[in-house]
Amino acid sequence: MARITLSMTAEPNGPITGYVIARHGGVKTVRLIEEDDEVPGLARADVLMWRDRRTARVMSELLDWMAHAERRGFVALIPTGKEWPADLNSLSERVPYLRRTCGAASFLTTTLSD
């Protein structure tokens, strides 16, 4: 759920979100957005602007939208899941927060060269 929230509230390939999620994971990243804790490796001003942008994007209908997508058959794949396309991990801090799919996700586990 944390990565779904991040995918809907953070810009794709956002350098700060990518940095935080790569080091702390999805759940801790959401907590760091909500709390006033320091984020190791980032300047306080950058963290404050990052939090303001994320908080402004949180929609009140977020949970309803996620439930609707699930009812329509969409599945969220995360980097630690078994059906995650492993070749995407080569993107390092720019790896997508998640991928959404509908249908047979097993096709995604083949290498990109296939």
Side-chain angles (χ1 to χ4, degrees), residues 17-61:
T17 303
Y19 173 87
V20 177
I21 202 168
R23 282 154 186 79
H24 301 287
V27 174
K28 179 67 174 178
T29 299
V30 171
R31 282 191 192 129
L32 286 169
I33 292 169
E34 295 172 344
E35 298 170 358
D36 195 32
D37 293 345
E38 189 176 305
V39 179
L42 295 176
R44 179 80 175 146
D46 290 337
V47 172
L48 291 173
M49 287 190 313
W50 174 67
R51 282 187 179 128
D52 284 345
R53 286 189 206 125
R54 298 299 68 73
T55 304
R57 288 178 165 217
V58 173
M59 304 175 303
S60 60
E61 309 89 27

Side-chain angles (χ1 to χ4, degrees), residues 10 20 27-28 31 45 73 77 92 102 108-110:
V20 177
V27 174
K28 179 67 174 178
R31 282 191 192 129
L77 305 176
S92 188
C102 188
L108 299 174
T109 59
T110 60

Side-chain angles (χ1 to χ4, degrees), residues 48-106:
L48 291 173
M49 287 190 313
W50 174 67
R51 282 187 179 128
D52 284 345
R53 286 189 206 125
R54 298 299 68 73
T55 304
R57 288 178 165 217
V58 173
M59 304 175 303
S60 60
E61 309 89 27
L62 186 64
L63 292 176
D64 290 339
W65 189 90
M66 288 189 294
H68 176 72
E70 197 172 276
R71 282 192 304 273
R72 305 276 259 158
F74 286 91
V75 176
L77 305 176
I78 62 172
T80 56
K82 73 176 188 170
E83 293 181 329
W84 179 259
D87 287 350
L88 289 177
N89 294 333
S90 66
L91 297 172
S92 188
E93 290 180 3
R94 299 225 182 251
V95 69
Y97 311 130
L98 66 88
R99 299 300 309 161
R100 291 180 190 94
T101 185
C102 188
S106 60

